[in-house]
Amino acid sequence: GAGVSQSPSNKVTEKGKDVELRCDPISGHTALYWYRQSLGQGLEFLIYFQGNSAPDKSGLPSDRFSAERTGGSVSTLTIQRTQQEDSAVYLCASSFRGSYGYTFGSGTRLTVV
Amino acid sequence: AQKVTQAQTEISVVEKEDVTLDCVYETRDTTYYLFWYKQPPSGELVFLIRRNSFDEQNEISGRYSWNFQKSTSSFNFTITASQVVDSAVYFCALSGNDYKLSFGAGTTVTVRA
C-alpha cells in the first residue's frame, strides 16, 4: 500500500481481555517496528522485525505482550490479560532495511476500562 | 545504550517568530542516523528530516533548517517564520547499528496567532 496501515484505529476493551492490533507495512519494506506512546509521553520501543531474522523483543514490557509477523509482511501485536496501564497509542512503523527512513502508521488507540 | 535528550518541554511563540528545538544525543556507534519527526494534534508522526553521522552539512529546506554538530553531539532544528500550523510535538530520534529508533521525550511547540 501507499502507507503503513493499522487497525483498528480505536479499541476499547475490558480489563483482563486479550486484544490484537494489526499492522500492514509498506510493500517491500523489510523492517517493521512497534512503538507505544502513553498519554503525553514519548515513544517507547516494543519490538523490531527485520526480514527473516529473529525479532528483537527487548522492549516488550511483560510476557503478556507478543508479536508476530507473517510472511514478512503483516504483523499482529497481541496483549493478553490487558491492564489499565496498557492504555496507550500503539504505533507501527516500517522501513526499507532499517535506517533508510521510517514511515509510521496512524496508530491504534487502546483504552482498557 | 543510545539516548536522546530534548531539554525543552514546551515552547510558545507568536506567529512569524523563529523557533529552535534542541536535541542532544549519546551513542557509541560510529555510524548512526538522526531524525526529526512532527506529531500534530491529529496524532500521526510525520517525518521531517534525516541526517547520517558522516554528513555534517547543514541545510535549509523551506522554513526548516538544522544544525548538526558532531563535536557537541547536537542536532538542533529551526522553524523560521513560524505559523499556527507548525503547532505540534516535535521529536528528535536516533538510530544506530541496531536500526531501532530511540526517541527524545518531545518538545511541544505552540504558535499563537
Side-chain angles (χ1 to χ4, degrees), chain B residues 1-3 25-32 73 94-97:
Chain B
Q2 295 169 161
K3 185 178 178 182
Y25 62 91
E26 296 175 27
T27 181
R28 294 180 181 174
D29 295 336
T30 54
T31 301
Y32 51 89
S73 297
L94 164 73
S95 76
N97 293 336

Side-chain angles (χ1 to χ4, degrees), chain A residues 33 35 37 45 56 99 102, chain B residues 33 37 39 50 99 101:
Chain A
Y33 309 77
Y35 286 83
Q37 186 175 26
F45 166 78
D56 180 341
S99 54
Y102 305 78
Chain B
Y33 296 83
Y37 280 87
Q39 188 175 42
R50 166 182 171 267
Y99 297 130
L101 273 174

Side-chain angles (χ1 to χ4, degrees), chain A residues 68-83:
Chain A
E68 63 177 21
R69 189 178 184 191
T70 54
S73 181
V74 173
S75 176
T76 302
L77 176 69
T78 301
I79 309 173
Q80 295 178 313
R81 305 180 302 282
T82 51
Q83 303 295 313

Side-chain angles (χ1 to χ4, degrees), chain A residues 11-85:
Chain A
K11 176 73 176 179
V12 180
T13 190
E14 292 180 354
K15 179 181 173 181
K17 294 283 181 68
D18 297 351
V19 294
E20 286 189 352
L21 312 180
R22 176 188 168 103
C23 173
D24 201 340
I26 291 174
S27 178
H29 279 192
T30 58
L32 186 147
Y33 309 77
W34 283 97
Y35 286 83
R36 178 170 72 174
Q37 186 175 26
S38 301
L39 186 62
Q41 302 297 309
L43 283 86
E44 173 190 8
F45 166 78
L46 296 177
I47 188 169
Y48 160 49
F49 296 89
Q50 172 60 55
N52 295 321
S53 302
D56 180 341
K57 304 179 182 181
S58 59
L60 294 179
S62 77
D63 59 8
R64 296 186 295 104
F65 288 72
S66 63
E68 63 177 21
R69 189 178 184 191
T70 54
S73 181
V74 173
S75 176
T76 302
L77 176 69
T78 301
I79 309 173
Q80 295 178 313
R81 305 180 302 282
T82 51
Q83 303 295 313
Q84 288 187 328
E85 62 262 29

